[in-house]
Amino acid sequence: MAANEHGWRTGIGLPVMVALSVLSGSASAANNPYIGSWAYKQTCGPRHAAEIRLTQSGEEIVGDWSDGTRSAGSDGHLKGQLREGKLVVRYCSSDERGGYAVCPSYEAQESDYFVRADQDLVWFRQVGAGNSRRFERYLVLHPVVGGKASVMDSRCTSD
């Protein structure tokens, strides 16, 4: 894993700074439950890792994201808004293999959202399109403490 200039470790070595507009209300960093560094790290199997760091300056949230395994991954920018207790986001990818529009362009509509659950950040991903579009729980990201994921996932059926 590589560390960026802030010492934050990225799951696939591709740190990317992201800007995300918060369009609802005037949330301050002190009371915004999405601000912080979040990570999921699997210690077995494909060694899936995902990391997000969100900070706030005024009405803007800025951060990094990456998502991948020991063999492949992607990263890029995201932007979105707080809506009904959810951080709803649109993505762009740092390259064409990421599955999203290539930055600086973004997806036409929001595809994922995040919600807080106690100390964690739960990532919900869009599955399907059109009338069959729904959201499924993808990952539970845990707070990053001392530059490392505070919880590691060791539940794997096979290595």
Side-chain angles (χ1 to χ4, degrees), residues 65 73-76 91-102 125:
W65 76 270
S74 60
D75 66 2
Y91 296 103
C92 70
S93 180
S94 62
D95 64 51
E96 59 278 350
R97 295 172 296 151
Y100 304 108
V102 177
R125 290 176 58 175

Side-chain angles (χ1 to χ4, degrees), residues 97-159:
R97 295 172 296 151
Y100 304 108
V102 177
C103 299
S105 297
Y106 286 86
E107 299 172 288
Q109 71 178 47
E110 293 97 355
S111 62
D112 292 358
Y113 68 87
F114 298 89
V115 295
R116 284 296 307 269
D118 296 319
Q119 298 299 310
D120 298 324
L121 186 66
V122 183
W123 188 346
F124 288 83
R125 290 176 58 175
Q126 177 181 307
V127 177
N131 292 335
S132 65
R133 179 182 180 208
R134 66 186 193 288
F135 293 91
E136 290 183 352
R137 185 175 168 147
Y138 176 52
L139 289 174
V140 176
L141 300 139
H142 306 286
V144 172
V145 178
K148 297 182 180 191
S150 60
V151 176
M152 304 282 188
D153 185 359
S154 60
R155 299 169 293 153
C156 295
T157 55
S158 67
D159 281 323

Side-chain angles (χ1 to χ4, degrees), residues 3-10 15-20 34-39 50-56 61-66 76 78 87 114 121 141-142 144:
N4 69 10
E5 68 273 13
H6 304 290
W8 190 70
R9 302 177 79 65
T10 61
V16 177
M17 200 50 110
V18 291
L20 143 72
Y34 294 91
I35 300 306
S37 295
W38 313 94
E51 300 184 57
I52 297 174
R53 190 187 83 206
L54 302 171
T55 59
Q56 186 167 350
I61 293 177
V62 180
D64 302 317
W65 76 270
S66 66
L78 62 86
L87 178 58
F114 298 89
L121 186 66
L141 300 139
H142 306 286
V144 172

